[in-house]
CSV table of all heavy atoms in Angstrom, one decimal:
chain,number,residue,atom,x,y,z
A,1,GLY,N,-68.1,-9.9,1.4
A,1,GLY,CA,-68.0,-10.8,0.2
A,1,GLY,C,-67.8,-12.3,0.6
A,1,GLY,O,-67.7,-12.6,1.8
A,2,LEU,N,-67.7,-13.1,-0.4
A,2,LEU,CA,-67.4,-14.5,-0.2
A,2,LEU,C,-66.0,-14.7,0.0
A,2,LEU,O,-65.1,-14.1,-0.6
A,2,LEU,CB,-67.8,-15.3,-1.5
A,2,LEU,CG,-69.3,-15.1,-2.0
A,2,LEU,CD1,-69.5,-15.8,-3.3
A,2,LEU,CD2,-70.2,-15.7,-0.9
A,3,VAL,N,-65.7,-15.5,1.0
A,3,VAL,CA,-64.3,-15.8,1.4
A,3,VAL,C,-63.9,-17.2,0.9
A,3,VAL,O,-64.5,-18.2,1.4
A,3,VAL,CB,-64.1,-15.6,2.9
A,3,VAL,CG1,-62.6,-15.9,3.3
A,3,VAL,CG2,-64.4,-14.2,3.3
A,4,GLY,N,-62.9,-17.3,0.1
A,4,GLY,CA,-62.4,-18.6,-0.4
A,4,GLY,C,-61.0,-18.6,-0.7
A,4,GLY,O,-60.2,-17.7,-0.2
A,5,GLY,N,-60.6,-19.5,-1.6
A,5,GLY,CA,-59.2,-19.6,-1.9
A,5,GLY,C,-58.4,-20.6,-1.0
A,5,GLY,O,-58.9,-21.1,-0.1
A,6,HIS,N,-57.1,-20.7,-1.3
A,6,HIS,CA,-56.3,-21.6,-0.6
A,6,HIS,C,-55.6,-21.0,0.6
A,6,HIS,O,-54.8,-21.7,1.3
A,6,HIS,CB,-55.2,-22.2,-1.6
A,6,HIS,CG,-54.4,-21.1,-2.2
A,6,HIS,ND1,-53.2,-20.8,-1.7
A,6,HIS,CD2,-54.6,-20.4,-3.3
A,6,HIS,CE1,-52.7,-19.8,-2.4
A,6,HIS,NE2,-53.5,-19.5,-3.4
A,7,CYS,N,-55.9,-19.8,0.9
A,7,CYS,CA,-55.3,-19.1,2.1
A,7,CYS,C,-56.3,-18.7,3.2
A,7,CYS,O,-56.4,-19.3,4.2
A,7,CYS,CB,-54.5,-17.9,1.6
A,7,CYS,SG,-53.0,-18.4,0.7
A,8,ILE,N,-57.1,-17.7,2.9
A,8,ILE,CA,-57.9,-17.0,3.9
A,8,ILE,C,-59.0,-18.0,4.4
A,8,ILE,O,-59.2,-18.1,5.6
A,8,ILE,CB,-58.6,-15.8,3.4
A,8,ILE,CG1,-57.6,-14.8,2.9
A,8,ILE,CG2,-59.5,-15.2,4.4
A,8,ILE,CD1,-58.1,-13.5,2.3
A,9,GLY,N,-59.5,-18.8,3.6
A,9,GLY,CA,-60.6,-19.8,4.0
A,9,GLY,C,-60.0,-21.0,4.6
A,9,GLY,O,-60.8,-21.9,5.0
A,10,VAL,N,-58.7,-21.2,4.6
A,10,VAL,CA,-58.0,-22.4,5.0
A,10,VAL,C,-57.1,-22.2,6.3
A,10,VAL,O,-57.2,-22.9,7.3
A,10,VAL,CB,-57.2,-23.0,3.9
A,10,VAL,CG1,-56.4,-24.2,4.4
A,10,VAL,CG2,-58.1,-23.5,2.7
A,11,ASP,N,-56.3,-21.2,6.2
A,11,ASP,CA,-55.3,-21.0,7.2
A,11,ASP,C,-55.8,-20.9,8.7
A,11,ASP,O,-55.2,-21.5,9.6
A,11,ASP,CB,-54.5,-19.7,6.9
A,11,ASP,CG,-53.6,-19.9,5.6
A,11,ASP,OD1,-53.7,-21.0,5.0
A,11,ASP,OD2,-53.0,-18.9,5.2
A,12,PRO,N,-56.9,-20.2,8.9
A,12,PRO,CA,-57.4,-20.2,10.3
A,12,PRO,C,-57.7,-21.6,10.9
A,12,PRO,O,-57.6,-21.8,12.1
A,12,PRO,CB,-58.7,-19.4,10.2
A,12,PRO,CG,-58.5,-18.5,9.0
A,12,PRO,CD,-57.7,-19.4,8.0
A,13,TYR,N,-58.1,-22.5,10.0
A,13,TYR,CA,-58.4,-23.9,10.5
A,13,TYR,C,-57.1,-24.6,11.0
A,13,TYR,O,-57.1,-25.5,11.8
A,13,TYR,CB,-59.1,-24.7,9.5
A,13,TYR,CG,-60.5,-24.4,9.3
A,13,TYR,CD1,-61.0,-23.9,8.1
A,13,TYR,CD2,-61.4,-24.5,10.4
A,13,TYR,CE1,-62.4,-23.6,7.9
A,13,TYR,CE2,-62.7,-24.2,10.2
A,13,TYR,CZ,-63.2,-23.7,9.0
A,13,TYR,OH,-64.5,-23.4,8.8
A,14,TYR,N,-55.9,-24.2,10.4
A,14,TYR,CA,-54.7,-24.8,10.9
A,14,TYR,C,-54.4,-24.3,12.3
A,14,TYR,O,-53.9,-25.0,13.1
A,14,TYR,CB,-53.5,-24.4,9.9
A,14,TYR,CG,-53.4,-25.3,8.8
A,14,TYR,CD1,-54.3,-25.3,7.7
A,14,TYR,CD2,-52.3,-26.2,8.7
A,14,TYR,CE1,-54.2,-26.2,6.7
A,14,TYR,CE2,-52.2,-27.1,7.7
A,14,TYR,CZ,-53.1,-27.1,6.6
A,14,TYR,OH,-53.0,-28.0,5.6
A,15,LEU,N,-54.7,-23.0,12.5
A,15,LEU,CA,-54.4,-22.4,13.9
A,15,LEU,C,-55.4,-23.0,14.9
A,15,LEU,O,-55.0,-23.4,16.0
A,15,LEU,CB,-54.5,-20.9,13.8
A,15,LEU,CG,-54.1,-20.2,15.1
A,15,LEU,CD1,-52.7,-20.5,15.5
A,15,LEU,CD2,-54.3,-18.6,14.8
A,16,THR,N,-56.7,-23.1,14.5
A,16,THR,CA,-57.6,-23.7,15.5
A,16,THR,C,-57.4,-25.1,15.7
A,16,THR,O,-57.7,-25.6,16.8
A,16,THR,CB,-59.1,-23.4,15.0
A,16,THR,OG1,-59.3,-24.1,13.7
A,16,THR,CG2,-59.4,-21.9,14.9
A,17,TYR,N,-56.9,-25.9,14.7
A,17,TYR,CA,-56.6,-27.3,14.9
A,17,TYR,C,-55.5,-27.4,16.0
A,17,TYR,O,-55.6,-28.3,16.9
A,17,TYR,CB,-56.1,-27.9,13.6
A,17,TYR,CG,-55.5,-29.3,13.7
A,17,TYR,CD1,-56.3,-30.4,13.8
A,17,TYR,CD2,-54.1,-29.5,13.8
A,17,TYR,CE1,-55.8,-31.7,13.9
A,17,TYR,CE2,-53.6,-30.7,13.9
A,17,TYR,CZ,-54.4,-31.8,14.0
A,17,TYR,OH,-53.9,-33.1,14.1
A,18,LYS,N,-54.5,-26.6,15.9
A,18,LYS,CA,-53.4,-26.7,16.8
A,18,LYS,C,-53.8,-26.2,18.2
A,18,LYS,O,-53.5,-26.8,19.2
A,18,LYS,CB,-52.2,-25.8,16.4
A,18,LYS,CG,-51.0,-25.8,17.3
A,18,LYS,CD,-50.4,-27.2,17.4
A,18,LYS,CE,-49.1,-27.2,18.3
A,18,LYS,NZ,-48.5,-28.5,18.4
A,19,ALA,N,-54.7,-25.2,18.3
A,19,ALA,CA,-55.2,-24.7,19.5
A,19,ALA,C,-56.0,-25.8,20.3
A,19,ALA,O,-55.8,-26.0,21.5
A,19,ALA,CB,-56.1,-23.5,19.3
A,20,LYS,N,-56.8,-26.5,19.5
A,20,LYS,CA,-57.6,-27.6,20.1
A,20,LYS,C,-56.7,-28.7,20.6
A,20,LYS,O,-57.0,-29.4,21.7
A,20,LYS,CB,-58.6,-28.1,19.2
A,20,LYS,CG,-59.8,-27.2,18.8
A,20,LYS,CD,-60.7,-27.7,17.8
A,20,LYS,CE,-61.8,-26.8,17.4
A,20,LYS,NZ,-62.7,-27.3,16.3
A,21,SER,N,-55.6,-29.0,19.9
A,21,SER,CA,-54.7,-30.1,20.3
A,21,SER,C,-54.0,-29.9,21.6
A,21,SER,O,-53.6,-30.8,22.2
A,21,SER,CB,-53.7,-30.3,19.2
A,21,SER,OG,-52.7,-29.3,19.2
A,22,ILE,N,-53.9,-28.6,22.0
A,22,ILE,CA,-53.3,-28.3,23.3
A,22,ILE,C,-54.3,-27.9,24.3
A,22,ILE,O,-54.0,-27.3,25.4
A,22,ILE,CB,-52.2,-27.1,23.1
A,22,ILE,CG1,-52.8,-25.8,22.6
A,22,ILE,CG2,-51.1,-27.6,22.2
A,22,ILE,CD1,-51.9,-24.7,22.6
A,23,GLY,N,-55.6,-28.1,24.0
A,23,GLY,CA,-56.6,-28.0,25.0
A,23,GLY,C,-57.3,-26.6,25.1
A,23,GLY,O,-58.0,-26.3,26.0
A,24,TYR,N,-57.1,-25.8,24.0
A,24,TYR,CA,-57.7,-24.5,24.0
A,24,TYR,C,-58.7,-24.4,22.9
A,24,TYR,O,-58.4,-24.7,21.7
A,24,TYR,CB,-56.7,-23.3,23.8
A,24,TYR,CG,-57.3,-22.0,23.8
A,24,TYR,CD1,-57.8,-21.4,25.0
A,24,TYR,CD2,-57.5,-21.3,22.6
A,24,TYR,CE1,-58.4,-20.1,24.9
A,24,TYR,CE2,-58.1,-20.1,22.5
A,24,TYR,CZ,-58.6,-19.5,23.7
A,24,TYR,OH,-59.2,-18.2,23.7
A,25,HIS,N,-60.0,-24.1,23.2
A,25,HIS,CA,-61.0,-23.9,22.2
A,25,HIS,C,-61.2,-22.5,21.7
A,25,HIS,O,-61.7,-21.7,22.5
A,25,HIS,CB,-62.3,-24.5,22.7
A,25,HIS,CG,-63.4,-24.5,21.7
A,25,HIS,ND1,-63.5,-25.6,20.7
A,25,HIS,CD2,-64.4,-23.7,21.4
A,25,HIS,CE1,-64.5,-25.4,19.9
A,25,HIS,NE2,-65.1,-24.2,20.3
A,26,PRO,N,-60.7,-22.1,20.6
A,26,PRO,CA,-60.8,-20.7,20.1
A,26,PRO,C,-62.2,-20.3,19.8
A,26,PRO,O,-63.0,-21.1,19.2
A,26,PRO,CB,-59.9,-20.7,18.9
A,26,PRO,CG,-59.9,-22.1,18.4
A,26,PRO,CD,-60.0,-23.0,19.6
A,27,LYS,N,-62.6,-19.1,20.2
A,27,LYS,CA,-64.0,-18.7,20.1
A,27,LYS,C,-64.1,-17.7,18.9
A,27,LYS,O,-64.9,-17.9,18.0
A,27,LYS,CB,-64.4,-18.0,21.4
A,27,LYS,CG,-64.4,-19.0,22.6
A,27,LYS,CD,-64.8,-18.3,23.9
A,27,LYS,CE,-64.7,-19.3,25.1
A,27,LYS,NZ,-63.4,-19.9,25.3
A,28,ILE,N,-63.3,-16.6,19.0
A,28,ILE,CA,-63.5,-15.6,17.9
A,28,ILE,C,-63.1,-16.1,16.6
A,28,ILE,O,-63.8,-15.8,15.6
A,28,ILE,CB,-62.6,-14.3,18.3
A,28,ILE,CG1,-63.2,-13.7,19.6
A,28,ILE,CG2,-62.6,-13.3,17.2
A,28,ILE,CD1,-62.3,-12.6,20.1
A,29,ILE,N,-62.0,-16.8,16.5
A,29,ILE,CA,-61.5,-17.3,15.2
A,29,ILE,C,-62.5,-18.2,14.5
A,29,ILE,O,-62.9,-18.1,13.4
A,29,ILE,CB,-60.2,-18.0,15.3
A,29,ILE,CG1,-59.1,-17.1,15.9
A,29,ILE,CG2,-59.7,-18.6,14.0
A,29,ILE,CD1,-57.8,-17.8,16.3
A,30,LEU,N,-63.1,-19.2,15.3
A,30,LEU,CA,-64.1,-20.1,14.8
A,30,LEU,C,-65.4,-19.4,14.4
A,30,LEU,O,-66.0,-19.8,13.5
A,30,LEU,CB,-64.3,-21.3,15.7
A,30,LEU,CG,-63.2,-22.3,15.8
A,30,LEU,CD1,-63.4,-23.3,17.0
A,30,LEU,CD2,-63.0,-23.0,14.5
A,31,ALA,N,-65.8,-18.4,15.2
A,31,ALA,CA,-67.0,-17.7,14.9
A,31,ALA,C,-66.9,-17.0,13.6
A,31,ALA,O,-67.8,-17.0,12.8
A,31,ALA,CB,-67.3,-16.7,16.1
A,32,GLY,N,-65.7,-16.3,13.4
A,32,GLY,CA,-65.5,-15.7,12.1
A,32,GLY,C,-65.5,-16.7,10.9
A,32,GLY,O,-66.1,-16.4,9.9
A,33,ARG,N,-64.9,-17.8,11.1
A,33,ARG,CA,-64.9,-18.8,10.1
A,33,ARG,C,-66.3,-19.3,9.7
A,33,ARG,O,-66.7,-19.5,8.6
A,33,ARG,CB,-64.0,-20.0,10.5
A,33,ARG,CG,-62.6,-20.1,10.1
A,33,ARG,CD,-62.2,-20.2,8.7
A,33,ARG,NE,-62.5,-19.1,7.8
A,33,ARG,CZ,-63.2,-19.3,6.7
A,33,ARG,NH1,-63.7,-20.5,6.3
A,33,ARG,NH2,-63.5,-18.3,5.9
A,34,GLU,N,-67.0,-19.6,10.8
A,34,GLU,CA,-68.4,-20.1,10.6
A,34,GLU,C,-69.3,-19.1,9.8
A,34,GLU,O,-70.0,-19.5,8.9
A,34,GLU,CB,-69.1,-20.4,12.0
A,34,GLU,CG,-70.5,-21.0,11.8
A,34,GLU,CD,-71.1,-21.3,13.2
A,34,GLU,OE1,-70.5,-20.9,14.2
A,34,GLU,OE2,-72.2,-21.8,13.2
A,35,LEU,N,-69.1,-17.8,10.2
A,35,LEU,CA,-69.9,-16.8,9.5
A,35,LEU,C,-69.5,-16.7,8.0
A,35,LEU,O,-70.4,-16.7,7.1
A,35,LEU,CB,-69.7,-15.5,10.2
A,35,LEU,CG,-70.7,-14.4,9.8
A,35,LEU,CD1,-71.0,-13.5,11.0
A,35,LEU,CD2,-70.3,-13.6,8.6
A,36,ASN,N,-68.2,-16.7,7.7
A,36,ASN,CA,-67.8,-16.6,6.3
A,36,ASN,C,-68.1,-17.9,5.6
A,36,ASN,O,-68.5,-17.8,4.4
A,36,ASN,CB,-66.3,-16.3,6.3
A,36,ASN,CG,-65.9,-14.9,6.6
A,36,ASN,OD1,-66.8,-14.0,6.5
A,36,ASN,ND2,-64.7,-14.7,7.0
A,37,ASP,N,-68.1,-19.0,6.2
A,37,ASP,CA,-68.5,-20.3,5.5
A,37,ASP,C,-69.9,-20.3,5.1
A,37,ASP,O,-70.3,-20.9,4.1
A,37,ASP,CB,-68.2,-21.5,6.4
A,37,ASP,CG,-66.7,-21.9,6.3
A,37,ASP,OD1,-66.0,-21.5,5.4
A,37,ASP,OD2,-66.3,-22.7,7.2
A,38,LYS,N,-70.8,-19.6,5.9
A,38,LYS,CA,-72.2,-19.6,5.6
A,38,LYS,C,-72.7,-18.5,4.6
A,38,LYS,O,-73.8,-18.4,4.3
A,38,LYS,CB,-73.0,-19.4,6.9
A,38,LYS,CG,-72.9,-20.7,7.8
A,38,LYS,CD,-73.7,-20.5,9.1
A,38,LYS,CE,-73.7,-21.8,9.9
A,38,LYS,NZ,-74.4,-21.6,11.2
A,39,MET,N,-71.7,-17.6,4.2
A,39,MET,CA,-72.1,-16.5,3.3
A,39,MET,C,-72.6,-17.0,2.0
A,39,MET,O,-73.5,-16.3,1.4
A,39,MET,CB,-70.9,-15.6,3.1
A,39,MET,CG,-70.6,-14.7,4.3
A,39,MET,SD,-72.0,-13.6,4.7
A,39,MET,CE,-72.1,-12.5,3.3
A,40,GLY,N,-72.2,-18.1,1.5
A,40,GLY,CA,-72.7,-18.7,0.3
A,40,GLY,C,-74.2,-19.0,0.3
A,40,GLY,O,-75.0,-18.6,-0.6
A,41,SER,N,-74.6,-19.6,1.5
A,41,SER,CA,-76.0,-19.9,1.7
A,41,SER,C,-76.8,-18.6,1.8
A,41,SER,O,-77.9,-18.5,1.3
A,41,SER,CB,-76.2,-20.7,3.0
A,41,SER,OG,-75.5,-21.9,2.9
A,42,TYR,N,-76.2,-17.6,2.5
A,42,TYR,CA,-76.9,-16.3,2.7
A,42,TYR,C,-77.2,-15.6,1.3
A,42,TYR,O,-78.3,-15.2,1.1
A,42,TYR,CB,-76.1,-15.4,3.6
A,42,TYR,CG,-76.6,-14.0,3.7
A,42,TYR,CD1,-77.7,-13.7,4.4
A,42,TYR,CD2,-76.0,-13.0,2.9
A,42,TYR,CE1,-78.2,-12.4,4.5
A,42,TYR,CE2,-76.4,-11.7,3.0
A,42,TYR,CZ,-77.5,-11.4,3.8
A,42,TYR,OH,-78.0,-10.1,3.8
A,43,VAL,N,-76.1,-15.6,0.5
A,43,VAL,CA,-76.3,-15.0,-0.8
A,43,VAL,C,-77.3,-15.7,-1.7
A,43,VAL,O,-78.2,-15.0,-2.3
A,43,VAL,CB,-74.9,-15.1,-1.6
A,43,VAL,CG1,-75.1,-14.7,-3.1
A,43,VAL,CG2,-73.9,-14.1,-1.0
A,44,ALA,N,-77.3,-17.0,-1.7
A,44,ALA,CA,-78.3,-17.8,-2.5
A,44,ALA,C,-79.7,-17.5,-2.0
A,44,ALA,O,-80.7,-17.3,-2.8
A,44,ALA,CB,-78.0,-19.3,-2.4
A,45,LEU,N,-79.9,-17.5,-0.6
A,45,LEU,CA,-81.2,-17.2,-0.1
A,45,LEU,C,-81.7,-15.8,-0.4
A,45,LEU,O,-82.9,-15.6,-0.7
A,45,LEU,CB,-81.2,-17.5,1.4
A,45,LEU,CG,-82.5,-17.5,2.2
A,45,LEU,CD1,-83.5,-18.5,1.6
A,45,LEU,CD2,-82.3,-17.7,3.7
A,46,GLU,N,-80.8,-14.8,-0.3
A,46,GLU,CA,-81.2,-13.5,-0.6
A,46,GLU,C,-81.7,-13.3,-2.0
A,46,GLU,O,-82.6,-12.6,-2.3
A,46,GLU,CB,-80.0,-12.5,-0.3
A,46,GLU,CG,-79.8,-12.3,1.2
A,46,GLU,CD,-81.0,-11.6,1.9
A,46,GLU,OE1,-81.4,-10.5,1.5
A,46,GLU,OE2,-81.6,-12.3,2.8
A,47,LEU,N,-80.9,-14.0,-2.9
A,47,LEU,CA,-81.3,-14.0,-4.3
A,47,LEU,C,-82.7,-14.6,-4.5
A,47,LEU,O,-83.6,-14.0,-5.2
A,47,LEU,CB,-80.3,-14.7,-5.2
A,47,LEU,CG,-80.5,-14.8,-6.7
A,47,LEU,CD1,-80.7,-13.4,-7.3
A,47,LEU,CD2,-79.5,-15.6,-7.4
């Protein structure tokens, strides 16, 4: 489904922001975020 709201679609970016600030580039977390962020485009295109 579409992932949104003030928690699930936001909170991971707080963690990845902190990770990057200490020199660690998170892979899995950002990959999941990117996929979920693109689901809106996928739904529109499928329709």
Side-chain angles (χ1 to χ4, degrees):
L2 302 174
V3 178
H6 56 96
C7 290
I8 300 178
V10 172
D11 294 358
Y13 285 121
Y14 273 73
L15 187 56
T16 58
Y17 170 83
K18 182 63 178 179
K20 290 177 182 178
S21 74
I22 60 173
Y24 180 78
H25 187 80
K27 300 174 181 62
I28 295 174
I29 300 172
L30 286 173
R33 262 299 60 242
E34 183 181 5
L35 195 147
N36 283 338
D37 276 345
K38 289 181 177 179
M39 283 302 291
S41 298
Y42 171 77
V43 166
L45 188 58
E46 285 299 298
L47 177 59

